[in-house]
Structures are given as C-alpha cells and as structure tokens.
C-alpha cells in the first residue's frame, strides 16, 4: 500500500484498499480467525491444550495466533507428555509476552520430512535473564521456590528418545522448537 | 556472485521491487545481479535447471497461478539448497512460521502492515550477502550439524559446551542464547575443531569460552556464568589449557 502512496496513485490506492485491505482487516480483527486452523489438528487432547492456552493469552490482550496448514493426524509422542510440554511452553511464553510492549504469541505445527515440528514464539524483553538460568530448577523471575516449569520441560524431553528441543532468543523473539521424529 | 530472482505478478510492484534492488546493488557496489524478474515461476525454475547458482529469491506468495509459495520454495530448494528465500505477501500473516520453517525461508515481508518495503528489502540483501560471504570465505567459523531435516548452524565463538543427554546418542549443545538438542556422538564433536576439549565423559567444552576452573569442585565456569563439569581424569589436561 505504501507503494501507491509513494507514487501518489490515489485512484489505485482507493481500489486496492477497498477491495483487498478492508475485507482482510475485518477478518483479522476476530481472534477466532486466528484459531481457525486448529481444525487441522486431529488429536483432541493436543487441540484442547493449544486452544485453551491461546484463548487465555488472547484474553490477556496478547496477539495469539495458531498456524496448522496441513492436517496433523499422528504425533509420535506420548500425548500426556506432549501436553505437559506444550502447557509449560505456552504458560511460560504467555508470562514473558505480557511483560512486553507489543505482546505476541504464535504456535505452528509443521509437517516436515520424517518429523513434525511444533514451534512456539513469543515476544520477549531485550535484556531478560541468561537462557541457561531459566532452565535451572527453582529459577523464576518472580522469586525463589517457584516455577519448576522449564526444568520439568527439559526433563520430560530427555525421557523421549525421538524428541528434540531447541530453545533460542533471536530478534526479540523467544523461540521453542519441539521436533518429534516419526 | 549472488544471483537475485524476483517473482511477482503485479507489474507495478515488480518494477518497483526490481528498482529497489538494482539501485542498492549499484550504490553499494555489491557482487550481485538481478538475473530473473518475472511474473511466472517457471522462469525461475527453468533458470535453475540450466545454471548452478546461489540465489536470493523474492517470491510473491499470492502468485495468481497454480504454484503456491510453499511449493515454489520447495522446488527452488531442490536446485539451490543454500540460497536465501524471502516471501513477499499482501496478506496472511497467519502462515508466517509455516513459511519460514517449511523451506527454511530467510525472511518474510508483509505488504499490508504499512511496511517500509524498501528498507526491508535492503535488510534482506545485506543479510543474504553477509551469509554468502561467510560461507564462501571461511566455512570454519560456523559449526554445522544436521538434525533430521534441520541444519543447526552456530558460530563457534558462541558455543559454550556439549553435554550428553540421558537418552542414547542425544547431545545437548549449550550456546549463548541457545540450547539445542541433536543426535550424535561426543567423539565426533571433538574432532570437529581444536577448540573443543573433552573435560568429562559426558561433556565437551569450548576452550575459548572458559572463564575459570574450580579445581577443587571440578567445575568450569563459562564466560556467561554457566557451569560445565570436569572429571578428575580430564582435569589435568584442563589445567594446562587454562594456564596458557
């Protein structure tokens, strides 16, 4: 759109805005739309935990989006373990996002060659704690003896021989990639 | 040379995009060239079939043809697995991550958020150029390993240490701002670089990032404060390293 403004092409800008931008932005306004692709997850318990956690984030005014482009029918991971992992990841992501000016939370389930990747990203503070610290038992940004969450996450993943976890901070985003091998 | 491809079906936008890129290449005198600027994705594929290239691709996701963005990206990957793919799209922020991960896209420019497209395009060119030069001149600076479909790349200087997981053959790499797991053996890791030192049966440490060693408790403190462990068997060798 800025291209049309650039060239002062008001006529085309008008057409472009009315035909393309308006309908999209109206659709985008509804948070439900951002959850629409949940229907592609065919595993009820996984769908449940993702929808409830994202809805909660949306209620807290976080821009929560879920992307599932292809149907996900099988995940080769014990579903209780998987739900615990995703629960911890999403709770943690929501808490951190809330401390940001422009809070976002985004989850994607992506089929790849021989694996399914679950990516969770959230906005994070530019000078948060060192990554290794948040994995220490009993570490919490809210004081001592709380939040065993992320250390539990690591422990659960370490029990699964076909699941790997990749955690990193990049460009203001905290990213958790849980990769499940078939 | 890094070769640039533009696939966008809106004539105006394609012209503008091409101009941004060509201007920037000229001003900065970069070793790059726009080789294909087209509305038809087949032109891109045809070029790749006939030429061996490392490319930077700007692809419009909403191409009004059968080939969707993901499929086109995947096809490009078959010919050019090191190239940088950037998706440009008018809508659907809703598939941002999917695009990024499906074809290891480098970036994703949205046209609808009042974005300064010129600036974003220039950022992409800079990033792609930096990566290209790095991979060309010294492969040694970046540690690379494969995990399933994914390639993990980390600067050697960012690596703190490797640790074995309780699960067989799983290794946890601890780096600055990243912890990542992959399948492999510590034995193979040590051979990858002279900076790596086996300090414990279950740990390999990057000598360059050691802050100090507590000989009594056999703990190695890294530059960022994280602790790596040493065993008495390997401690002596470590002593020699730290003293030098």
């Amino acid at each position: 759109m800025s291209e049309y403004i650039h060239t002062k092409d008001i006529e085309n800008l008008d057409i472009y805005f009315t035909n393309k931008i308006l309908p999209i932005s109206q659709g985008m306004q509804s948070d439900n739309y951002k959850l629409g692709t949940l229907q592609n997850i065919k595993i009820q318990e996984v769908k449940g935990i993702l929808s409830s956690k994202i809805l909660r984030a949306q209620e807290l005014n976080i821009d929560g989006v879920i992307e599932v482009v292809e149907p996900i029918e099988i995940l080769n991971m014990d579903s209780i373990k998987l739900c615990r992992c995703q629960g911890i990841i999403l709770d943690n992501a929501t808490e951190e996002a809330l401390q940001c000016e422009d809070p976002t939370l985004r989850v994607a389930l992506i089929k790849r060659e021989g694996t399914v990747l679950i990516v969770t990203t959230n906005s994070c503070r530019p000078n948060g704690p060192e990554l290794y610290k948040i994995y220490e038992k009993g570490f919490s940004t809210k004081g001592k003896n709380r939040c065993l969450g992320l250390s539990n996450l690591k422990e659960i993943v370490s029990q699964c021989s076909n699941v790997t976890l990749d955690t990193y901070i990049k460009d203001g985003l905290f990213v958790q990639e849980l990769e499940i091998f078939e | 040379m890094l070769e640039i491809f533009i696939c966008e079906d809106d004539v105006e936008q394609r012209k503008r995009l091409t101009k941004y890129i060509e201007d920037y290449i000229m001003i900065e005198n970069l070793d790059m060239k726009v080789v294909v600027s087209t509305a038809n994705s087949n032109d891109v594929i045809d070029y790749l079939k006939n030429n061996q290239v490392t490319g930077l691709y700007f692809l419009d996701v909403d191409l009004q043809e059968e080939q969707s963005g993901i499929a086109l990206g995947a096809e490009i990957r078959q010919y050019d697995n090191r190239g940088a793919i950037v998706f440009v799209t008018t809508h659907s922020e809703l598939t941002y991550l999917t695009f990024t991960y499906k074809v290891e896209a480098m970036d994703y420019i949205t046209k609808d958020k009042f974005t300064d497209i010129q600036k974003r395009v220039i950022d992409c060119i800079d990033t792609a150029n930096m990566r290209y030069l790095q991979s060309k001149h010294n492969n040694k600076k970046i540690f690379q390993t494969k995990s399933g479909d994914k390639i993990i790349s980390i600067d050697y200087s960012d690596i703190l240490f490797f640790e074995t997981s309780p699960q067989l053959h799983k290794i946890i790499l601890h780096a600055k701002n990243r912890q990542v797991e992959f399948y492999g053996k510590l034995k193979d890791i040590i051979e990858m670089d002279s900076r790596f030192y086996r300090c414990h049966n279950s740990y390999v440490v990057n000598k360059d990032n050691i802050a100090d060693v507590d000989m009594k408790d056999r703990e190695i403190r890294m530059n960022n404060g994280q602790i790596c462990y040493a065993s008495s068997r390997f401690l002596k060798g470590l002593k020699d390293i730290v003293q030098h």
Side-chain angles (χ1 to χ4, degrees):
Chain A
M1 196 148 64
S2 60
E3 303 300 313
Y4 289 116
I5 297 169
H6 220 97
T7 51
K8 306 266 181 279
D9 189 353
I10 302 302
E11 202 180 293
N12 276 319
L13 175 65
D14 185 18
I15 297 169
Y16 183 74
F17 185 79
T18 338
N19 294 339
K20 297 224 163 166
I21 302 297
L22 268 185
I24 293 166
S25 62
Q26 273 157 6
M28 296 274 266
Q29 273 164 10
S30 98
D31 277 343
N32 285 337
Y33 185 54
K34 296 174 183 170
L35 295 176
T37 56
L38 261 176
Q39 62 174 1
N40 281 326
I41 302 178
K42 307 297 180 194
I43 307 155
Q44 290 305 327
E45 54 272 36
V46 177
K47 191 165 151 183
I49 187 119
L50 293 179
S51 59
S52 66
K53 295 288 179 189
I54 299 271
L55 278 170
R56 181 170 160 262
Q58 287 179 344
E59 280 162 13
L60 295 165
N61 288 322
I62 295 171
D63 181 23
V65 181
I66 182 152
E67 301 176 13
V68 192
V69 173
E70 292 161 287
I72 304 286
E73 276 129 9
I74 306 164
L75 287 169
N76 186 20
M77 180 174 178
D78 177 73
S79 69
I80 293 181
K81 281 184 179 149
L82 174 57
C83 288
R84 282 187 67 198
C85 285
Q86 252 344 94
I88 294 169
I89 290 174
L90 287 167
D91 283 345
N92 184 65
T94 306
E95 265 187 32
E96 176 61 32
L98 275 178
Q99 311 206 29
C100 300
E101 219 167 275
D102 211 355
T104 63
L105 173 62
R106 192 178 271 272
V107 184
L109 275 76
I110 301 157
K111 267 192 191 167
R112 302 222 283 189
E113 196 73 31
T115 71
V116 175
L117 189 67
I118 306 180
V119 188
T120 311
T121 69
N122 62 274
S123 45
C124 67
R125 291 161 292 165
N127 38 16
E130 284 272 349
L131 189 59
Y132 76 93
K133 285 206 167 145
I134 63 170
Y135 275 113
E136 280 171 6
K137 232 178 195 151
F139 177 83
S140 162
T141 46
K142 291 186 297 190
K144 278 184 177 165
N145 293 323
R146 295 182 48 97
C147 280
L148 298 171
L150 286 171
S151 71
N152 277 344
L153 169 66
K154 257 195 123 164
E155 205 173 312
I156 300 167
V157 173
S158 76
Q159 291 163 6
C160 307
S161 62
N162 66 322
V163 180
T164 61
L165 180 67
D166 185 354
T167 310
Y168 58 91
I169 299 167
K170 199 183 158 200
D171 304 330
L173 284 181
F174 186 87
V175 184
Q176 295 269 23
E177 295 178 23
L178 197 67
E179 187 149 32
I180 304 168
F181 290 71
E182 273 166 15
Chain B
M1 188 177 66
L2 197 59
E3 301 185 43
I4 299 182
F5 299 76
I6 299 159
C7 190
E8 156 79 74
D9 49 12
D10 183 303
V11 185
E12 273 310 308
Q13 290 182 3
R14 185 170 70 243
K15 272 191 198 154
R16 186 155 288 274
L17 193 59
T18 312
K19 189 173 178 317
Y20 287 158
I21 294 167
E22 285 178 337
D23 285 355
Y24 190 66
I25 293 175
M26 202 174 67
I27 293 166
E28 298 289 319
N29 197 17
L30 299 168
D31 186 21
M32 295 184 187
K33 193 180 165 207
V34 177
V35 290
V36 176
S37 179
T38 179
N40 185 345
S41 60
N42 288 330
D43 293 346
V44 177
I45 300 301
D46 284 344
Y47 188 91
L48 292 176
K49 276 181 184 158
N50 299 314
N51 300 277
Q52 181 82 11
V53 302
T54 301
L56 166 59
Y57 306 83
F58 289 92
L59 309 177
D60 179 9
V61 178
D62 326 309
L63 290 167
Q64 305 282 330
E65 47 175 322
E66 283 178 20
Q67 183 94 295
S68 78
I70 289 181
L72 177 57
E75 199 168 350
I76 288 173
R77 275 275 170 264
Q78 288 178 6
Y79 299 99
D80 178 7
N81 59 17
R82 288 197 314 169
I85 297 177
V86 178
F87 288 110
V88 186
T89 176
T90 34
H91 65 82
S92 124
E93 264 207 298
L94 299 173
T95 48
Y96 168 74
L97 285 174
T98 309
F99 272 110
T100 314
Y101 284 92
K102 267 278 182 189
V103 290
E104 304 275 348
M106 187 182 80
D107 211 335
Y108 192 94
I109 301 176
T110 45
K111 292 190 257 183
D112 62 339
K113 283 182 83 186
F114 315 97
T115 322
D116 185 346
I117 295 179
Q118 186 168 15
K119 186 180 171 297
R120 298 280 289 111
V121 167
I122 287 173
D123 286 347
C124 288
I125 296 176
D126 285 340
T127 311
N129 192 37
M130 207 179 66
R131 282 193 195 174
Y132 178 66
L133 292 177
Q134 260 180 4
S135 69
K136 206 169 109 190
H137 292 305
N138 55 27
N139 285 319
K140 291 230 86 179
K141 275 181 89 174
I142 298 174
F143 170 87
Q144 279 196 328
T145 188
K146 238 186 142 182
S147 168
D149 220 15
K150 174 166 98 176
I151 292 169
I152 299 165
S153 324
I154 299 179
D155 282 0
Y156 273 112
S157 57
D158 283 345
I159 294 178
L160 302 167
F161 58 89
F162 299 87
E163 173 193 0
T164 54
S165 159
Q167 283 296 329
L168 214 55
H169 304 316
K170 202 149 94 174
I171 293 176
I172 307 166
L173 193 175
H174 296 262
K176 288 173 188 159
N177 285 329
R178 184 165 182 185
Q179 287 192 11
V180 53
E181 300 176 339
F182 60 93
Y183 296 100
K185 290 179 186 153
L186 283 184
K187 206 181 91 204
D188 302 330
I189 302 281
I190 306 170
E191 284 163 15
M192 291 176 87
D193 199 87
S194 59
R195 274 169 276 209
F196 296 156
Y197 178 77
R198 182 80 171 247
C199 55
H200 188 286
N201 242 344
S202 315
Y203 289 89
V204 166
V205 68
N206 181 355
K207 293 187 283 194
D208 285 359
N209 285 327
I210 295 179
D212 50 54
V213 180
D214 183 335
M215 293 291 175
K216 200 170 107 273
D217 293 333
R218 295 198 287 272
E219 287 181 353
I220 306 170
R221 199 161 57 87
M222 308 305 298
N223 286 337
N224 68 340
Q226 194 171 1
I227 301 290
C228 167
Y229 297 95
S231 62
S232 50
R233 192 175 142 216
F234 294 104
L235 203 60
K236 198 189 164 301
L238 202 60
K239 217 169 173 175
D240 295 340
I241 293 160
V242 180
Q243 276 163 359
H244 285 117

